[in-house]
Amino acid sequence: MTDLLAVRDVTKRFGGVVANHSVSLAVPHGAIVGLIGPNGSGKTTLFNSIVGYHPIDTGSIAFEGREISRLRVPGIARLGLVRTFQQTRVFNKMTCLQNLLVSVPHVHEGLAAMCAGQPPAVMARASEILRLVGLQEHTEQHAGDLSFGQQKLLEIGMALMNEPRLLLLDEPTAGVNPVMIESLIALLRDINARLGLTLLVIEHNMRVMMQLAGHVYCLAHGEVLAQGSPAQIAANRAVIEAYLGAQP
Ligand code: ADP
Ligand code: MG
């Protein structure tokens, strides 16, 4: 079967910096695929290329066999390819519910739902997603008053409002306390298993990766250094050396 996402030989330069060099990776339907690599190895750049944030220099990116590397963010999001950010992006002065309502692809629908007295479909979906991410008791709370981990849950909820088929998560557990990390792992496994959502996850924490991913790619200096099961990657000499070498 065609992979849901196929990245082939993608190179992306910023001036003299080669952020990604001939990167290839595949994300099968229904999988959770991991992406690791030291800081500056090109992980976020690859996400930005996949979701159409910037054009690639060479290579191809196919979603369900369809070339998408010339499309931009809105067109790619409409196909069901959505990302979250390394730096959490929620609207602090809005409630959790409002954050979800303004995250729908057609924002006017969300705004209408916010102003309307009766609950249209988008409102029902927002309530369902608040329950799914475990924030139903915080519906009317300002996002700025949530803990950092809860903001991460909210951000995943905001991405889910777009009804993604492939969700790209950029370091979802970074800076999150251990208890909340367990909640995040449970949520990601749940949306994968129950909603059938395919995930590509950037994550430094190998313990988290072990619990989540079936297959892991490791980037170093913009190139794929290794790929395999989480256990194979954790034991891979070159991967260990890339991480040790990256430490100050
Ligand atoms: P990672 O997410 O693995 O830490 P990044 O993809 O953010 O790595 O960065 C890879 C390299 O590309 C770094 O050298 C970084 O400085 C560079 N880079 C990333 N984005 C830009 C940009 N918009 N302009 C210039 N250089 C960039
Ligand atoms: Mg990054």
Side-chain angles (χ1 to χ4, degrees):
M1 188 158 70
T2 313
D3 289 315
L4 184 57
L5 179 76
V7 173
R8 288 191 205 94
D9 292 328
V10 164
T11 293
K12 173 65 190 172
R13 295 187 191 87
F14 296 106
V17 177
V18 186
N20 288 142
H21 181 246
S22 201
V23 171
S24 297
L25 64 79
V27 182
H29 285 265
I32 303 182
V33 172
L35 183 60
I36 65 168
N39 283 332
S41 58
K43 305 180 298 296
T44 297
T45 300
L46 186 64
F47 269 25
N48 285 335
S49 297
I50 292 169
V51 299
Y53 184 71
H54 51 216
I56 56 176
D57 292 298
T58 55
S60 81
I61 303 173
F63 187 61
E64 288 200 302
R66 175 187 168 177
E67 183 63 31
I68 58 166
S69 62
R70 290 188 209 299
L71 301 180
R72 298 281 71 90
V73 173
I76 290 176
R78 267 197 298 277
L79 295 175
L81 221 163
V82 175
R83 70 169 297 182
T84 64
F85 291 88
Q86 196 169 346
Q87 272 78 36
T88 308
R89 295 186 182 185
V90 298
F91 301 105
N92 286 332
K93 295 269 164 59
M94 295 174 105
T95 67
C96 291
L97 177 62
Q98 289 168 340
N99 268 278
L100 292 196
L101 293 176
V102 297
S103 300
V104 289
H106 304 290
V107 176
H108 61 271
E109 286 175 9
L111 292 174
M114 230 186 267
C115 302
Q118 74 264 21
V122 64
M123 188 68 99
R125 180 160 173 76
S127 301
E128 184 191 318
I129 286 177
L130 278 171
R131 207 167 33 248
L132 181 72
V133 301
L135 291 176
Q136 68 274 32
E137 273 153 35
H138 302 272
T139 303
E140 297 302 333
Q141 195 174 339
H142 284 144
D145 295 334
L146 297 174
S147 74
F148 184 65
Q150 289 171 328
Q151 291 183 356
K152 289 280 190 191
L153 293 171
L154 180 61
E155 204 192 7
I156 292 170
M158 291 163 76
L160 293 177
M161 286 300 285
N162 290 278
E163 303 190 43
R165 304 190 44 225
L166 172 60
L167 186 57
L168 277 59
L169 298 136
D170 197 344
E171 303 198 22
T173 72
V176 176
N177 75 55
V179 175
M180 192 53 92
I181 286 181
E182 295 308 315
S183 304
L184 276 161
I185 292 172
L187 172 63
L188 295 178
R189 290 175 67 113
D190 196 41
I191 60 180
N192 173 252
R194 279 205 303 138
L195 306 184
L197 190 52
T198 306
L199 306 176
L200 177 60
V201 189
I202 296 176
E203 176 63 62
H204 283 294
N205 185 331
M206 270 317 283
R207 207 182 53 76
V208 174
M209 212 46 126
M210 293 275 190
Q211 293 181 69
L212 270 184
H215 195 82
V216 178
Y217 289 83
C218 177
L219 287 185
H221 303 294
E223 298 188 22
V224 176
L225 177 69
Q227 60 169 302
S229 69
Q232 285 169 335
I233 289 296
N236 184 298
R237 274 253 135 253
V239 171
I240 294 164
E241 276 165 20
Y243 267 93
L244 292 177
Q247 278 176 3

